[in-house]
Amino acid sequence: MSVVNKKMVAIGGAVVVGVGVLTLGFTAAAMFSSGAVAGIAMGLALIVFGCVIGVLTASQIRFGYTADRLLAKMVSQQDYRAYPELACLPSGRVQPAAAKEYLARCRSGVAGRPKDWREWFLLAGSYEIARDHRQAALALTRASALERTGSRPV
């Protein structure tokens, strides 16, 4: 998917969520105006629900932007390690043994250079390939923090 397509998907998703949150807001306002205790309670619940949806959507868009920004920075520095050549199944998924080996390689890279954001970014990608999304998010957060502070490889 090209960069323009990814941005359009993100913008489209944000617009759909925004319309949904606005609809929840209008519904909550109508329930508040009913004056009934049940209506006020449901209106309040809808407002809380809409706020949670908005915060989660914003954090996911920011997370995707961070990943794209770090990848672009690596590529601009002629570092193409984020595009590993791994053995794939006929379905296109990476073979589990290859994913496990790449994850071990990336973990050792982080152990060797724990202050290098590039190593953490590669670890995040390896977790994603291994389908461990929680660890991928944590590693990407660490990579972003190290990159923002300007940590240099040791």
Side-chain angles (χ1 to χ4, degrees):
M1 188 180 289
S2 73
V3 173
V4 174
N5 287 342
K6 283 193 263 183
K7 286 183 180 179
M8 293 302 291
V9 167
I11 290 169
V15 166
V16 168
V17 169
V19 168
V21 168
L22 281 175
T23 303
L24 283 176
F26 288 131
T27 305
M31 289 185 170
F32 272 130
S33 67
S34 74
V37 174
I40 292 171
M42 288 181 67
L44 184 60
L46 287 176
I47 288 172
V48 170
F49 186 62
C51 289
V52 168
I53 290 171
V55 167
L56 290 176
T57 301
S59 70
Q60 286 299 308
I61 290 172
R62 189 179 71 242
F63 185 78
Y65 172 76
T66 299
D68 283 348
R69 181 178 55 80
L70 292 178
L71 178 62
K73 188 169 184 177
M74 280 186 75
V75 170
S76 74
Q77 295 171 349
Q78 308 297 314
D79 188 348
Y80 299 106
R81 293 179 296 160
Y83 298 103
E85 303 252 347
L86 302 173
C88 293
L89 299 170
S91 65
R93 286 186 56 192
V94 174
Q95 290 180 356
K100 195 173 187 177
E101 186 272 328
Y102 181 59
L103 180 59
R105 216 176 347 154
C106 290
R107 282 182 178 152
S108 68
V110 166
R113 295 170 33 168
K115 301 266 188 225
D116 187 356
W117 68 265
R118 292 163 197 82
E119 298 296 336
W120 283 95
F121 182 76
L122 294 173
L123 181 62
S126 69
Y127 277 127
E128 195 64 36
I129 289 170
R131 299 191 177 268
D132 187 347
H133 306 297
R134 183 174 184 274
Q135 290 298 319
L138 293 173
L140 184 63
T141 301
R142 178 77 174 139
S144 178
L146 287 170
E147 187 267 339
R148 271 186 274 126
T149 62
S151 293
R152 296 278 178 220
V154 178

